[in-house]
Structures are given as C-alpha cells and as structure tokens.
Amino acid sequence: MTTQAPETKVVDKYRIACDGGEGALGHPRVWLQIPEETGFVECGYCDAKYVHRDFVGKV
C-alpha cells in the first residue's frame, strides 16, 4: 500500500483556514499563518502544504 503525498495549495493570503476539505470527513477548522520569511506552512492535521503565490517555485 502506498501513501499519497500531502496536497500543496497556492494561496493569495498569508493567513488561511484549513478544514481538511472533505466535509464531515475533514478535521476541525484551524487558522494558519504563513511566515513571510519562508512563504509556506503545513497543516498539523492533514499535512496539506500552503504556499503563498509570491513563493511559488522558491520553496
């Protein structure tokens, strides 16, 4: 059995919400802050990676 790689999403804001994106099968909504130094953050629940559009191709 193989494990899927976590999803990477490109976003326009430095503060975003993640709820797992699967309705009732997701996770509690959490607010994540993307550090302006790194340009990305990972959700602690679902491991989704959020990359700010200014950092696409740099991280």
Side-chain angles (χ1 to χ4, degrees):
M1 183 171 161
T2 60
T3 304
Q4 284 187 312
E7 185 177 3
T8 299
K9 300 177 183 179
V10 177
V11 295
D12 293 328
K13 298 181 180 183
Y14 283 97
R15 184 158 169 81
I16 51 97
C18 181
D19 62 6
E22 298 177 15
L25 298 177
H27 59 70
R29 178 175 290 167
V30 291
W31 289 92
L32 305 170
Q33 181 71 37
I34 299 175
E36 293 186 25
E37 301 82 35
T38 61
F40 75 94
V41 69
E42 293 179 353
C43 176
Y45 281 100
C46 65
D47 293 330
K49 184 176 184 178
Y50 292 91
V51 179
H52 192 272
R53 65 181 168 93
D54 292 343
F55 288 83
V56 172
K58 299 177 186 174
V59 294

